[in-house]
Amino acid sequence: MKHILTVAAIAATAIIPVPSACLAADIQSPSGTISLNAEVIDGKPTYSVDFKGKAVILPSTLGLQLADGPDMTDGFVLTSVETSHFDETWHPVWGENASIRNNYNELLLHLDQPEHYRKMDLRFRVYDDGVGLRYEFPQNGVLTYFIIKEELTRFAMTGDHTAWWIAGDYDTQEYDYTECRLSEIRSKMSEAISSNASQTQFSPTGVQTSLQMKTDDGIYINLHEAALVDYSCMHLELDDSNLVFTSWLTPDAQGNKGHQQVPCHSPWRTIMITDNACDILASNLILNLNEPCAYEDTSWIKPVKYVGVWWEMIGGGKQWSYTHDLPSVKLDKLDYSTTKPHGLHPANNENVKRYIDFAAEHGFDQVLVEGWNVGWEDWFGHSKDYVFDFQTPYPDFDIDMLNEYAKQKGVKIMMHHETSASIRNYERHMHDAYALMQKYGYNSVKSGYVGNMLPRGEHHYGQWLNNHYLYAVTEAAKYHIMVNAHEAVRPTGLCRTYPNLIGNESARGTEYEAFAGNKPSHTTVLPFTRLQGGPMDYTPGIFELDMKKVNPESQGHVNSTLARQLALYVTMYSPLQMAADVPEVYNRFLDAFQFIKDVPVDWQESRYLEAEPGQYIVAARKDKASDNWFIGCTAGENGHESQISLDFLDKNRKYEATIYADAPDAHYIHNQQAYVISKKKVDAKTRLKMKAAPGGGYAISVKPIN
Amino acid sequence: MKHILTVAAIAATAIIPVPSACLAADIQSPSGTISLNAEVIDGKPTYSVDFKGKAVILPSTLGLQLADGPDMTDGFVLTSVETSHFDETWHPVWGENASIRNNYNELLLHLDQPEHYRKMDLRFRVYDDGVGLRYEFPQNGVLTYFIIKEELTRFAMTGDHTAWWIAGDYDTQEYDYTECRLSEIRSKMSEAISSNASQTQFSPTGVQTSLQMKTDDGIYINLHEAALVDYSCMHLELDDSNLVFTSWLTPDAQGNKGHQQVPCHSPWRTIMITDNACDILASNLILNLNEPCAYEDTSWIKPVKYVGVWWEMIGGGKQWSYTHDLPSVKLDKLDYSTTKPHGLHPANNENVKRYIDFAAEHGFDQVLVEGWNVGWEDWFGHSKDYVFDFQTPYPDFDIDMLNEYAKQKGVKIMMHHETSASIRNYERHMHDAYALMQKYGYNSVKSGYVGNMLPRGEHHYGQWLNNHYLYAVTEAAKYHIMVNAHEAVRPTGLCRTYPNLIGNESARGTEYEAFAGNKPSHTTVLPFTRLQGGPMDYTPGIFELDMKKVNPESQGHVNSTLARQLALYVTMYSPLQMAADVPEVYNRFLDAFQFIKDVPVDWQESRYLEAEPGQYIVAARKDKASDNWFIGCTAGENGHESQISLDFLDKNRKYEATIYADAPDAHYIHNQQAYVISKKKVDAKTRLKMKAAPGGGYAISVKPIN
C-alpha cells in the first residue's frame, strides 16, 4: 500500500520575476513565527532567519567550492523567485504519530552565475518550527558533472549559545555529549573524544549534527540535515571567534567531498527553532523534508520488540567466536572440525532455544543472535576483505532446527550481519545472505560496520558509503527484509521514504554502559539530537545495572536506575525495541519487566510533556492499537520533579495507571535497583506529581478500565 | 574434466639442515643450463643466476618493506634448505600445445628473522629456460597480517642490455614499445608515453613487465611475474647508474602496496634466460608456475573465432551511442522514447543480422556486438558510478529476436560489458548480467575497464582490482561464461588455472592502428612480452589498411600489409581470434579471407622457427583437430627473408601449401594490399624461401593431400 494522503496537498505557486533593483525575497512560516530573508549581496547568496521577531540566524552566505571548476560561491544574480504554500497530512508506516502534518511556505530562488554560464537554485521551506534549505542544480545550465571541494553553507549565530555536541568525526558518532558554550568547544574538544574502533576527527572546533543549542533568552536551535541521499554527510565547523558554523562534508579517498551529476540537489540543511524544548522533540521537520514512501506495498514492514543473544557478550564476557584455536582465519579454508570450542559461545542451540522460549513466554516478536556465523575468531582490525560470508553457521548453531523451533513458538530469529566495514565483501554476499534469510523466514537484520572502511581511504559518512547503506536497504526491501544498521551514517529521516530502515545505531548506545559508561544525562540529550533523524536501536532494559555483578572483570556501570530503563521505551522512540538484558535477570524482576512486556512499539499519538536537554524528558504516547497510554521520564544527574497533567486522556473514560517509579532513595550510582510499583485510578483531570532520582526516571502505563 | 597428468609427477624432496657456517645453497636446472645461488649475506637474502656458466643476474637482494612493522629486508638467518625435483606433463584446456612439460628443480630456503620472531621462506624453481622465485610467509611465525610498503626484489643486470619496454604505469599498458639500451630509458621516457584514458606513471626509469632484454653476447632475458593473485601488480624501477632493477608494486588508494594475511606468498617473479629468441617464445615457464585448472568440468570452455560490430566504431566513425539528445544520462531516469536517433548506431537489428549472416556463411562461432546496451551517451570521464546496467538493450537492438536469429544460423552473439571502470556498479549488476547471458545462450563476454577507477584512488593494477578481475572470471565460470577482459591487469598465466579467462587486451591492440598507429615492429615484440602471460585479443584481420578510405576524417593508418594481417592469426597465439574488419571489406578479398576462415584457434603443437624481437617472428602450428599446419611471419620495418624447413611435417604424408605472401613491391605504408596467393606441394623435406615486405609478413596453410 502506498502512502495515502488524508488531506489533499494544498499548493499554490506564484512565479515572480525579479526586477533588477530587487535582489531580496522574504517568506514567513504558515503562522508567522519564523521569517526568512534571502538575497544576493555582492554576488553572494545570503540568508537570515528570525523567530518571533528576533534574529536567530544572522546573514549567512551559501555556496560551494568545486574541485574541478570555478567556485559557486559568488558572481550570482537572482533572476526570479517562486513562492508556494503546501499543506498535507500523511501517514507513516510506523512512527510516533499515526498522522503527520506537513505545512510550509516555500521560497525558490533562481540564480544565474553569468560568468560561468551556470545556474543554481536555492529552495527554502519555512515551517512554524524551523527551516529547510537546499541547493538545486538544474539541467539547463552548462554544468553537467561537478566535484565538490567543500560546501560552504554558513549558520551565523547571534550569541555564545549553550550547545550539546559531539566531536566532528568521519567515522564514528559514538561519543558522549558535551554541554558547554560555543566558545568553550575548542577547550573541551580533547576530553570530548574517547577512543573508537574507527575514528577521524578533522578540527578542534568541528562538531556533528544534529547539534542542539539554546540561546540565553530561551530559544532552542537545532542544526541537522534531512534526506541525505547520494551526497556526503555534513559536519559543522565552528569559527569560534565569530560564532559562525560552516558546513564541512566528509571526504572521499581522494579528499574530494562529492561527485555530482545534474539535475541534482543537496540534502536539506535544517534549522529547527522553538522557544520550548518540547517542541523540538515533537517536530516532524526532518521527516517532512524527506520524500514520501517509495514502496507500493509496506504490509511486510512491522515494528519489532525483541530479546537477544548479545548482552552476554557485551556485558557478560562471552564471545561471538567459537574457539581460541584460530587467531588468523581464512574463510575459504576454514575448518572447525579440529578446533576446540572455548565454551564461551552463547550463540549455541541450547542457549538460543532458551531465548526463544523466553521470547515466546513473554510475547516478544524476535530473538537476535549475534555470533551465529563463522569467522568471528579474526574479524576486526586488519583491513580484511573476505571477513564473513553471512551464510555459514557455527557448528553449534543449527540454523534449520532453530528457525523451525522458533517458528513453532511463534517467534522469529533476527539475523545479524556484521560487515567489519568490508563493503565490497558484503555487497558480494548480500543477495545470497538475504536469500538465506528469506528461505528461513528471517524478516529483519541487524547489520554492523565496525572498523576502518574498505574501500580503503573511504569514510563511514562519505558519499560512497551513504550510497551503500541505502543500497543495502533498498535491496533488502526486494526480499521484504527490515534493516537496522549499526555504525552506518546518522539518519536524516530516510525512514519516511524507506520504512524498512527500521533502526540505526549512529550514536553511543547502551553497550557503552558496559564499557566506559554513558553520562547520566545521555538519554536526555539523544532525543534532541540523534533521534531527530530517525529511530535508534538504543537497546535499553538493563536491570542488572552494576556490571561487576555480571562480570567481575567489568569496568562498566550502567549510569541509570532500573526505573529509568523502563522509561526509555517511551522516551527513546523506536519501532524496534530490545529488552537487552538476559532472561535470568528479567526472571528476578518480573514485576518491573511487565512494563517492557506491555509497552508497544508503534503509536497513535505522542506528546512531550516536559523537557530540557541534559536535564530531563517526559513523554506520553498512545498505543496505535489500543487506548492505552504510556508515560516515560528520563532524568540526568539532578533528577527531576514532574508535575504532569493527564489531560490527553479520553475525557469520557477512566483509567488505571501502573506507576514504576524510583524509590525515594534510588540513585544511579549506588542504589539503582530501588523501585516502587504502584497502581492508581486516573482520568483526564488527574495531575501527577512524580519524582525521578539522580540518573533515574519513571514509567507509567495507563489503561482504560471502562 | 579436471586437468589430467599423463606423466605422473616425479618429486623427490631432501631437507638439509644448514650448519651455522654454511649460509649458501646452489641449484641447477634439470639439464644444467641454468644455475642459481642463494645465500644470506650480512643478514640479507641474496640470489644470483648463471646461464651456461655466464652470470646473468648478479648477486641481488630480496626482501620487503612493511608499512606496519619492521622491514623484512635484513636480519635474516638461514635455518634450513629443501631441494626437490619435479617433472610432469599436463594438458591445457586450450593452448599452443596439447601437452606441456613442467620440469624443474626446486630450492626452498627457510629463513628466520630472530629479532622480530618472524619467518620467511624463499622458493626458487629452476627450469632449463628460466627461474621462478617467490616469497612465502608461513603461519608459524608471529606475523599474521602485514601491509607492504614496497617489495624490494632486485634484478642486477650484467651490462647495458638492449631492452624492449613500455613505460611503467599503474593504469595502462597501451603504449608502443621502445627499443634502446637500459642506460637510454631515462632519455626516451617522455617520447615513450602517449596519452590514454587513464594513466599514472611513477618514475622516469620505471618500466612494465614482461620486459624483454638481450645482452651483447646474445643472451635473451625476460622479466615478468606468474600467478598474480591477491597481490598488486609488479613494475620494475631501474637504477640506471648501476643497471639494477627493483620491483615496484602498484599502490592502493592510501599509497600502500598490499595487504597480506599469512599463510600467503607473493606471485612468482620470473626470469627467462635463453640464447635463442625462439626459445623465449616457446617457453611455458609462466604457465608452469601457475596452479593446475581449478574447475572440475571444462567442457563448456571452447576457443572462439568471431566477427563483430566494432571496427565500424573504432575505424569507421560510427557510435556506441544511440542519440545525441542525451549528453548527460541518469540510467534510472533514462527514456529514449522522445529522443532522436543519430543514425550512426551500428548495433541495430538489421546490421547485426548482416554480421550474423556473414558469420554463418563463413564459419565463425560468434558475433560481438558493442553498443547494444543503454547508457553510452554519457559513459566516460566523469567518475560516474551507475554508468551501465549491462542488461537493458537500446530500442533498436531486439535481444530476443537477434539471439533467436543467431541460434537458427548456428552462431552465438558475444556479450559486451564495458564497465567504465566503475567496479562497484559492475559487481552489483554482474550476477543479473551473467544470468541474462545464460538466458539467451551467450557464453562469452568481452569486458572493459576504460577510465579512472572507482573506488576512487585505486588503480587498474592494484590488489583491489586484481581481486575484482579474478572474481569476475570465477563468478562467470558459475554461469559457464568465458571472459575476455580489456584494460584489466596484464595476464600472468592465470588462464591455466581459470581457462575461461579466454583473453585479455592489456596492451596496445589493433584499435590503435585506427587512432595513432602502432609501430611496424609492434607485433614482433608483443609475443616476447605481453603474450608471455596469456593470450591477447589483438583483433587482427584488417584488410582496408588505409583508414582514410574507411573514414575520411581518420588520422589512422594500419602499419601493416594485408598478408601480415593474416600471419597474425598464427604469430599472435590466442584461443580467441577476431576477424576485425567489416563484412563488405572481406567480401572484396575473399581469396585472402580464406586463410582466416581456415586457421584454427586451438593447437596440437607450436614451433617458433625464426625470431628476433623488433624484427621478425616466424611460427608454425599444427591444428589440434587435424593434421593441418599453419605458418605465419610478421616483420618489422626491415622486412624479413626466411629460410624455413618444414621438417615438422609428418614424414609419411604429402601436403599442399597455400601461401599468402606480400607481393614483391608490398610495403606497410604505400602498398599494403599487394599480396600474392600461390599453391605448392610440400613435404617434410621442403625448405621454403619466403620474403616479408617492410611491415609485412606471410601466412601459409599446409594441408595433407594423402
Side-chain angles (χ1 to χ4, degrees), chain B residues 51 105 112 118 167 210 216 386 446 469 480 497 531 589 628:
Chain B
F51 175 78
N105 288 326
D112 262 14
R118 297 192 295 203
S210 145
D216 285 347
Y386 185 29
K446 174 182 174 181
Y469 303 131
H480 287 188
T497 313
L531 268 60
F589 300 94
N628 298 343

Side-chain angles (χ1 to χ4, degrees), chain A residues 318-466:
Chain A
K318 300 288 178 66
Q319 304 290 319
W320 284 261
S321 66
Y322 174 77
T323 175
H324 292 319
D325 291 354
L326 299 170
S328 172
V329 168
K330 293 196 174 187
L331 225 58
D332 52 355
K333 292 171 185 145
L334 195 54
D335 178 11
Y336 286 97
S337 65
T338 59
T339 61
K340 187 180 161 212
H342 54 40
L344 296 167
H345 181 237
N348 66 66
N349 293 332
E350 286 316 302
N351 197 44
V352 173
K353 280 165 77 176
R354 194 169 67 94
Y355 277 83
I356 292 170
D357 292 342
F358 182 81
E361 183 184 346
H362 295 289
F364 286 82
D365 304 302
Q366 302 201 4
V367 175
L368 167 71
V369 185
E370 296 203 5
W372 70 278
N373 60 321
V374 298
W376 283 96
E377 288 75 16
D378 174 28
W379 72 281
F380 172 73
H382 293 111
S383 196
K384 183 176 183 176
D385 193 336
Y386 185 28
V387 61
F388 289 117
D389 72 1
F390 313 98
Q391 291 160 82
T392 308
Y394 272 122
D396 56 350
F397 184 89
D398 183 339
I399 190 168
D400 288 290
M401 180 276 287
L402 288 169
N403 278 283
E404 186 56 35
Y405 187 83
K407 195 174 167 190
Q408 284 171 6
K409 297 262 181 174
V411 171
K412 283 182 186 293
I413 301 184
M414 183 183 288
M415 178 48 76
H416 183 235
H417 290 169
E418 173 55 49
T419 68
S420 194
S422 181
I423 303 304
R424 176 171 70 174
N425 183 58
Y426 189 39
E427 291 201 5
R428 282 181 177 180
H429 292 89
M430 182 181 284
H431 292 88
D432 286 346
Y434 285 164
L436 180 110
M437 289 176 63
Q438 203 171 43
K439 173 183 166 191
Y440 284 109
Y442 292 84
N443 73 346
S444 67
V445 58
K446 174 181 174 181
S447 57
Y449 296 90
V450 173
N452 291 332
M453 272 294 151
L454 275 84
R456 299 188 180 97
E458 294 290 341
H459 293 288
H460 280 71
Y461 312 139
Q463 185 182 14
W464 183 270
L465 271 300
N466 294 339

Side-chain angles (χ1 to χ4, degrees), chain A residues 145 252-254 259 261-263 328-330 378 382-384 424 427-428 454-457 464 467-468 471, chain B residues 145 252-254 259 261-263 328-330 378 382-384 424 427-428 455-457 464 467-468 471:
Chain A
Y145 286 87
D252 67 18
Q254 296 179 308
H259 285 73
Q261 178 186 4
V262 302
S328 172
V329 168
K330 293 196 174 187
D378 174 28
H382 293 111
S383 196
K384 183 176 183 176
R424 176 171 70 174
E427 291 201 5
R428 282 181 177 180
L454 275 84
R456 299 188 180 97
W464 183 270
N467 286 350
H468 163 78
Y471 177 76
Chain B
Y145 286 87
D252 67 18
Q254 296 179 308
H259 285 73
Q261 179 188 5
V262 303
S328 173
V329 167
K330 292 196 175 186
D378 173 28
H382 292 111
S383 196
K384 184 177 181 175
R424 177 170 70 174
E427 292 200 5
R428 282 182 176 179
R456 298 187 181 100
W464 184 269
N467 286 351
H468 163 77
Y471 177 76

Side-chain angles (χ1 to χ4, degrees), chain B residues 376-596:
Chain B
W376 283 95
E377 289 76 14
D378 173 28
W379 71 281
F380 173 73
H382 292 111
S383 196
K384 184 177 181 175
D385 194 336
Y386 185 29
V387 60
F388 290 116
D389 71 3
F390 313 98
Q391 291 160 83
T392 309
Y394 272 123
D396 56 350
F397 183 89
D398 183 338
I399 190 168
D400 288 292
M401 181 275 287
L402 287 169
N403 277 284
E404 186 54 35
Y405 186 83
K407 194 175 169 191
Q408 285 169 8
K409 297 259 180 177
V411 171
K412 284 181 185 296
I413 301 184
M414 184 183 288
M415 178 48 76
H416 184 234
H417 290 169
E418 173 55 48
T419 68
S420 196
S422 181
I423 303 304
R424 177 170 70 174
N425 182 57
Y426 188 39
E427 292 200 5
R428 282 182 176 179
H429 292 88
M430 183 181 283
H431 291 89
D432 285 346
Y434 286 162
L436 180 112
M437 290 177 61
Q438 202 170 44
K439 173 185 166 190
Y440 284 109
Y442 292 84
N443 72 346
S444 67
V445 58
K446 174 182 174 181
S447 57
Y449 295 91
V450 173
N452 291 332
M453 272 296 153
L454 274 84
R456 298 187 181 100
E458 294 290 340
H459 294 288
H460 280 72
Y461 312 140
Q463 185 182 16
W464 184 269
L465 271 300
N466 295 339
N467 286 351
H468 163 77
Y469 303 131
L470 187 54
Y471 177 76
V473 169
T474 54
E475 291 300 301
K478 297 177 183 170
Y479 297 83
H480 287 188
I481 288 169
M482 299 180 283
V483 174
N484 165 26
H486 284 222
E487 296 90 22
V489 71
R490 46 189 168 274
T492 56
L494 287 177
C495 57
R496 177 181 177 188
T497 313
Y498 308 100
N500 67 320
L501 176 57
I502 197 107
N504 276 114
E505 186 183 45
S506 309
R508 203 169 164 99
T510 297
E511 63 183 6
Y512 276 88
E513 303 280 19
F515 308 154
N518 291 332
K519 289 182 181 176
S521 62
H522 194 54
T523 52
T524 71
V525 180
L526 284 173
F528 285 94
T529 53
R530 162 63 185 77
L531 268 60
Q532 289 295 343
M536 177 172 178
D537 186 26
Y538 189 70
T539 70
I542 305 303
F543 282 8
E544 189 54 270
L545 299 140
D546 180 356
M547 296 311 296
K548 283 220 182 324
K549 290 189 183 159
V550 177
N551 177 8
E553 290 168 25
S554 174
Q555 299 300 311
H557 181 91
V558 183
N559 289 323
S560 167
T561 64
L562 191 151
R564 188 175 84 171
Q565 290 292 308
L566 303 181
L568 297 178
Y569 291 88
V570 183
T571 61
M572 298 285 286
Y573 165 69
S574 177
L576 180 82
Q577 289 283 19
M578 184 180 199
D581 216 330
V582 297
E584 54 271 33
V585 168
Y586 288 136
N587 284 331
R588 286 166 44 210
F589 300 94
L590 285 175
D591 56 351
F593 188 60
Q594 187 62 42
F595 184 84
I596 300 179

Side-chain angles (χ1 to χ4, degrees), chain B residues 105-118:
Chain B
N105 288 326
E106 182 172 283
L107 176 66
L108 176 60
L109 267 55
H110 297 292
L111 304 175
D112 262 14
Q113 197 183 24
E115 190 185 348
H116 306 301
Y117 305 98
R118 297 192 295 203

